Amino acid sequence: QVQLVESGGGLVQAGGSLRLSCTVSGRTFNNYAMGWFRQALGREREIVAAIDRSGGNTYYTNSARGRFTISRDNVKNTVYLQMSSLEPEDTAVYHCAARNSDYLRGYYVTSNSYDYWGQGTQVTVSS
């Protein structure tokens, strides 16, 4: 059984920073490509960033590029999302997701590509 647990969300003022963490347990972490998604109230879930098994290849949605950084620590079984210059439009529940992948250097950007999901952590950015 694979479990994903997010942490690091909270309330921050516009322009501030947060670092989200997602720790994976139950299987070999470095077999998984990882992603961060978010879902704002009344909106569909959307990709924010993704990272391959090696950590060497990353993807960012246009709104995240230049402000957010995804990284992973394969020793700590954790993927991170460092978020800076936060805007009220970034307010959402942020979920991490894991995909068991045969490919060392490949990431995934659609939600139906992922096998496992965390419960999510709330990020609220005040103006």
Side-chain angles (χ1 to χ4, degrees):
Q1 184 75 10
V2 177
Q3 291 186 322
L4 286 69
V5 179
E6 302 99 335
S7 61
L11 174 64
V12 64
Q13 289 188 332
S17 299
L18 283 174
R19 188 177 80 156
L20 306 183
S21 301
C22 171
T23 300
V24 180
S25 61
R27 296 288 173 88
T28 305
F29 178 67
N30 60 12
N31 286 345
Y32 292 94
M34 302 295 297
W36 283 99
F37 290 75
R38 68 186 181 187
Q39 187 165 18
L41 195 63
R43 301 186 65 175
E44 292 186 355
R45 185 176 294 181
E46 62 176 358
I47 182 76
V48 177
I51 191 166
D52 69 1
R53 288 171 51 195
S54 74
N57 292 289
T58 56
Y59 167 87
Y60 298 95
T61 192
N62 286 341
S63 63
R65 192 174 297 115
R67 300 188 300 129
F68 295 0
T69 302
I70 188 171
S71 61
R72 65 188 295 159
D73 185 330
N74 285 348
V75 174
K76 295 183 177 179
N77 291 357
T78 301
V79 62
Y80 303 98
L81 186 68
Q82 177 68 48
M83 305 186 294
S84 60
S85 302
L86 283 162
E87 303 167 351
E89 293 74 20
D90 296 315
T91 295
V93 177
Y94 284 70
H95 299 267
C96 66
R99 154 80 181 242
N100 195 345
S101 176
D102 292 332
Y103 303 103
L104 183 63
R105 301 189 186 280
Y107 51 71
Y108 302 87
V109 300
T110 59
S111 58
N112 60 9
S113 298
Y114 286 86
D115 303 309
Y116 304 99
W117 292 83
Q119 291 296 309
T121 185
Q122 176 71 46
V123 171
T124 303
V125 185
S126 63
S127 57

